[in-house]
Each structure stands twice: as C-alpha cells, then as structure tokens.
Amino acid sequence: MTSLGARVVLAASNAARKVGQSLDSLGKSMEVVKYSERLVPSTRFVAVDGVAPTVSTNTAFVAPNASVIGDVTLGKDASVWYGATVRGDVHKVVIGDNTSVGDRAVIHVAKIQGDFPSIIGNNVTIGPGAIVHAATLKDSCVVAASAQVLDGAVVESNSIVAAGAGVTPGTVV
C-alpha cells in the first residue's frame, strides 16, 4: 500500500501532465504557419557527378560547417575553417600541404567564361571572407581577409594580396 501523500503527488503530476498536453494541443491548433524542424546531417564532403573530394589522411582540420564539394584535393595538414566553401563542381580544386582556408572563404572554379581550375600551393594562407575564383596561388603566399583573386589570375610565391584588395582576371601578382 502506498501512503496517502504519495497518491496525492501521483494524482497531481498526472493532472499536470494532462493539462500540459491539452495546452500543447491547443497551441498546435492555433498555429498559422505549420513548422516542423528537420535536422540536416553534415554536408562537409559532397560528391558531384560521382566525383568525391580527396582528403589526405593527415588533413589537419575541416570545420563541421565547412563544405568541400566535388573534384577537390586537400593536401597534408591543410585546413578548411568554419563556414568556408571549397567548390570543385565544374573543374578541379587542388589545395597544397599546410594551407589554411579561413572562415567564410570561398574557393571556386570557372567553366563558362574560361576553363580555369583553382590551384593553391603549399603553405598558403587564405584569410577569412576571401574569394579565390578559378585562380592559381603559388607556394607561401597570403590572400588576406576579404580579398578577391579572380579568373585566371596568378599570385606568385611569397606574395601578399592585401585585405579587401581585388586581383582582376588574368593578372599576375
């Protein structure tokens, strides 16, 4: 036999649960826009037309919300940071050893107005928010924050593209 106090607590908790469920049902019926949250699994590595990214077994870091898509090769100890996108959907992207792709940086390729891959050498730093579009970055160079290096441009070894600078298509730095 249970005590009177235990039965009162059990009855009160059951009544509270039923009231809560009734309020939840009432709230659902009053919703104007029906919304159901759908969790999306990570899309860090995505194949395009059957071509999946190739990642070195020694790759230092690919952030959970970074995207590496299509014909992309990441070298040894390369890193792709938060929110960055590396997209080799219509051509290849090669990223060398010890290269860092900063937060929100975008690396892409070109097919329509030229046929350019993005080739990035070893020991390169690509700053946060930078854009490398169908360009070549040779070894040990820096593309600073929010800079843009566009179609067919080449940044030679040991060069620096300043923050917010734009390297126009076909330019050699």
Side-chain angles (χ1 to χ4, degrees):
M1 286 250 152
T2 57
S3 70
L4 179 62
R7 283 187 275 168
V8 168
V9 168
L10 183 61
S13 61
N14 285 336
R17 183 176 300 110
K18 287 183 182 183
V19 168
Q21 289 172 340
S22 297
L23 288 173
D24 190 41
S25 294
L26 178 64
K28 283 182 183 177
S29 69
M30 295 173 61
E31 285 181 356
V32 175
V33 177
K34 304 292 184 196
Y35 177 76
S36 175
E37 185 172 69
R38 191 173 138 244
L39 298 176
V40 178
S42 173
T43 54
R44 286 196 301 175
F45 301 102
V46 178
V48 174
D49 295 332
V51 180
T54 304
V55 180
S56 167
T57 56
N58 295 329
T59 295
F61 180 72
V62 176
N65 65 343
S67 297
V68 181
I69 302 165
D71 191 1
V72 176
T73 302
L74 289 176
K76 179 179 176 247
D77 292 327
S79 57
V80 180
W81 290 86
Y82 296 91
T85 301
V86 181
R87 222 172 90 199
D89 52 353
V90 295
H91 213 307
K92 70 179 179 179
V93 175
V94 178
I95 298 176
D97 299 343
N98 301 313
T99 291
S100 175
V101 178
D103 298 345
R104 300 175 285 85
V106 175
I107 299 172
H108 193 229
V109 292
K111 191 74 169 174
I112 296 172
Q113 292 183 334
D115 194 7
F116 300 108
S118 283
I119 307 294
I120 299 167
N122 299 326
N123 304 305
V124 173
T125 299
I126 299 171
I131 296 172
V132 177
H133 192 270
T136 299
L137 309 179
K138 298 205 174 167
D139 294 345
S140 303
C141 67
V142 174
V143 176
S146 300
Q148 297 181 16
V149 183
L150 302 177
D151 304 41
V154 176
V155 178
E156 295 288 347
S157 295
N158 303 311
S159 298
I160 298 173
V161 178
V167 179
T168 57
T171 303
V172 176
V173 174

